[in-house]
Amino acid sequence: MKKIYSLFLLVFVLLHAGSFAQQQSILQQLEEIAIIDQKVMMPMRDGVRLATDIYRPKTTQPVPIIFSRTPYNFNAYRDGELQERSLQTALEAVKRGYAYVVQNERGRFFSEGEWDILGTPLTDGYDAFTWMAAQPWSNQKIGTIGCSSTAEWQMAVASLNHPAHVALVPQAFGAGVGRIGNFYEQGNWYRGGAGQMLFTAWLYGTQHDPMAPKLPEGISQEDLLRLQRFYDMAPRYPKVDWKEGLAHLPVQDIIKNVNGPQGIYEEMITRKPNDPKWYEGGLFHDNMEFEKPAYWFVSWYDVSTSPNLAMYNHIRTNAKDPKVRDNQYLVIAPTLHCAFTRASENTIVGERSMGDARLPYNEMTYAWFDYWLKGDPKKEMAKVTYFTMGSNKWQTSDTWPPKEAQMTTYYLNSAGKANTRNGDGILTNKKPGKDNPDTFQYDPMNPVTSYGGNVCCTGNAVQGGAFDQQEMELREDILVYTSEPLAEGIEVSGFIESKLFLSTDVKDTDLTIKIIDVYPDGKAYNLDETIQRVRYREGYEKEVFMESGKVYEVNLTPMSTSNYFEKGHRIRIEVSSSNFPRFDRNMNTGGNNYDETEGVVATNKIHHSSKYPSYVSLPIVRK
């Protein structure tokens, strides 16, 4: 009987071992396998110390490091309670044999110094690598990872080629991209020379007011460990209705108008797209070297898809080391900003179903680090893994765009009444002959409202993703050009180029464009969008204003997508002069915009003829 009881007890223990482990807190699990060293004040070359938490395996052997550097609060305690979720990433890394190191940028939370966007990554990032590589527990191989503002510093510091910085995984990294080819985004601040308003809302909750209380410099680790349990240095900003808040004029006073913190916003809003200050900080520009293997993650409904893809291609083409050029990999998901891991069996982005958009992201990134930081065998992987919407499937390619993509031109045409989806605007492969321009009025006091789209970080002002645009397309200030129903399905994957011919009665205005998949029942789902401030049509180094009635050629920054337009669907292009508050409003005066409270109404005309062939060029994949 005792033997039977002992056997039963053994079986019971084995069956429930997993549940016993799950009952342990994350902290308890971490304490069993890791040396935990929080609030290490890592010194920079100028004496400023950056708050750093280190979690490393209990071993005498040196280990590789996964490093995450962020402006966000990673403190283990919030409002006096332990936040175990913040320890989950560290637990997984340590289980896999890595030291996990997370650090705040200078001036953020417990880190000393004054904060700027991206901190001082060209020195702070490099100094952090040097400090970590010198530790006896380090094998002198460091990989960096992060999404959004935890990713964006990686490119600029990679240009310094620190020997311990072996590989990186930038995810949704657009705000770290300054100038890449024709993209002068300057860290998502601009698109086509027009301001992206995401930073207004983001900086309200991020920038530090110079009058805010700070801890004294030189404080000991012992005191910091005590303080972190009840004081996390995180300001509690009142919630703002950004639908109303972003409408305030002048733009430079938006944060002030909601009694927000003072900071860098008021200076940055005055910068032009090619201001020298953009080249002094932590942005990566295409004249900088990049000699590190990277695993890039982009998503179709993020704020900077096209420049991110251009960044990937730039490194594959321009890295000096062939091994580096050959070790650039890319994943493009059909999600919102940093929502890769939230994809589900039925992923809904906005209102449109993407089907099963899941990927084993943790396994993919750890396999990458295992190869570069540990020397494990390399896993087979495609250079580009991308999701095609419409057909809702993952595909692979050796290049972006896929080499099978062929640019196909679709011309805008009408009898002069393309206003609204009920107008006569068509999209056709035949170049128009006679010019019958479409006219609309753009009133900056009544701009076209952003509805869905490729956006992030604007609070409740704009919800990103694919939404049915039919109601929006009843506005008279939106020109709509639609193809005939497709006789067969086509895949559009790559960069979408567009050229418009404009005349106007004002010195300056904007042109906006959207590409849309129209279903047989009329549903019209937006895929991508862009804008061009016309004063920058000849380049971002100068402003060239327009003369009334003269026709101007305007090339817009490329859009990007991978979408399967099924048989019976139609391809649609929307043209207007505003997409607000996704982008700031052009006041049409030729002035600064950011300091103006009154605009003028523009009468804008889009021309389409043999002389003025306004068009979009789509990368159609033929396999």
Side-chain angles (χ1 to χ4, degrees), residues 439-459:
T439 303
F440 67 97
Q441 288 194 322
Y442 160 50
D443 181 357
M445 300 299 109
N446 183 29
V448 173
T449 305
S450 304
Y451 186 52
N454 312 71
V455 66
C456 82
C457 318
T458 55

Side-chain angles (χ1 to χ4, degrees), residues 470 485-486 517-525 565-570:
Q470 288 184 90
L486 296 170
D517 184 348
V518 183
Y519 284 51
D521 63 1
K523 287 187 175 66
Y525 290 120
F565 293 81
E566 293 188 22
K567 178 181 178 180
H569 285 220
R570 293 177 291 167

Side-chain angles (χ1 to χ4, degrees), residues 142-153:
I142 301 169
T144 53
I145 191 171
C147 197
S148 191
S149 291
T150 311
E152 290 146 359
W153 66 281

Side-chain angles (χ1 to χ4, degrees), residues 223-511:
D223 285 332
L224 289 171
L225 288 172
R226 175 173 53 84
L227 285 170
Q228 75 162 346
R229 298 177 66 87
F230 56 85
Y231 187 58
D232 63 8
M233 294 288 290
R236 304 297 194 268
Y237 297 103
K239 289 185 178 181
V240 173
D241 179 357
W242 285 114
K243 284 186 178 180
E244 180 180 340
L246 292 177
H248 179 79
L249 293 172
V251 173
Q252 66 182 7
D253 290 341
I254 289 177
I255 295 180
K256 179 181 179 182
N257 183 59
V258 295
N259 298 311
Q262 297 179 14
I264 195 171
Y265 174 78
E266 287 75 18
E267 184 274 321
M268 293 184 75
I269 198 67
T270 68
R271 296 184 192 176
K272 295 182 178 181
N274 204 38
D275 191 297
K277 289 185 179 179
W278 295 119
Y279 302 93
E280 296 172 0
L283 296 175
F284 180 88
H285 303 287
D286 56 14
N287 63 340
M288 300 164 69
E289 293 187 5
F290 190 104
E291 298 297 324
K292 302 292 181 183
Y295 198 2
W296 309 88
F297 288 82
V298 178
S299 50
W300 288 130
Y301 285 95
D302 201 357
V303 68
S304 53
T305 303
S306 289
N308 283 4
L309 296 175
M311 174 77 184
Y312 169 77
N313 284 341
H314 172 77
I315 304 305
R316 285 198 71 182
T317 302
N318 294 287
K320 293 180 180 179
D321 186 343
K323 185 179 179 181
V324 172
R325 291 198 300 269
D326 195 47
N327 279 288
Q328 305 297 317
Y329 294 86
L330 171 68
V331 174
I332 318 172
T335 58
L336 298 172
H337 181 71
C338 285
F340 307 103
T341 58
R342 294 195 289 276
S344 64
E345 190 174 358
N346 182 26
T347 304
I348 306 294
V349 183
E351 295 175 337
R352 192 184 189 197
S353 172
M354 305 296 174
D356 191 345
R358 295 173 295 182
L359 282 180
Y361 289 103
N362 276 359
E363 296 305 317
M364 293 160 65
T365 54
Y366 275 110
W368 173 259
F369 284 139
D370 288 347
Y371 174 71
W372 291 105
L373 306 184
K374 291 183 176 180
D376 287 0
K378 189 174 185 180
K379 299 288 180 67
E380 288 296 321
M381 52 195 297
K383 285 291 189 292
V384 181
T385 301
Y386 66 100
F387 191 92
T388 300
M389 300 174 288
S391 58
N392 290 356
K393 63 181 181 180
W394 287 101
Q395 301 195 83
T396 60
S397 174
D398 291 332
T399 62
W400 188 258
K403 60 180 180 296
E404 299 89 355
Q406 299 177 16
M407 299 305 288
T408 303
T409 300
Y410 287 79
Y411 295 96
L412 282 59
N413 202 357
S414 76
K417 296 292 182 181
N419 311 73
T420 83
R421 61 179 168 84
N422 297 321
D424 60 11
I426 62 172
L427 201 60
T428 175
N429 296 124
K430 183 180 179 181
K431 184 182 290 188
K434 183 180 178 181
D435 189 21
N436 294 304
D438 294 302
T439 303
F440 67 97
Q441 288 194 322
Y442 160 50
D443 181 357
M445 300 299 109
N446 183 29
V448 173
T449 305
S450 304
Y451 186 52
N454 312 71
V455 66
C456 82
C457 318
T458 55
N460 67 328
V462 188
Q463 183 180 352
F467 287 87
D468 184 0
Q469 304 292 308
Q470 288 184 90
E471 191 68 25
M472 294 294 301
E473 292 168 347
L474 295 176
R475 289 184 59 125
E476 289 286 333
D477 53 358
I478 298 179
L479 305 181
V480 180
Y481 303 90
T482 309
S483 74
E484 290 294 321
L486 296 170
E488 58 181 20
I490 62 169
E491 179 187 328
V492 174
S493 292
F495 294 106
I496 299 167
E497 299 171 358
S498 52
K499 182 193 298 288
L500 300 175
F501 287 88
L502 166 75
S503 64
T504 184
D505 59 353
V506 294
K507 293 175 63 176
D508 184 44
T509 193
D510 291 345
L511 284 178

Side-chain angles (χ1 to χ4, degrees), residues 581-599:
R582 167 77 170 84
F583 305 105
D584 70 351
R585 291 168 282 183
N586 196 323
M587 306 302 282
N588 295 332
T589 65
N592 291 324
N593 284 291
Y594 63 78
D595 58 1
E596 298 181 85
T597 58
E598 295 183 7

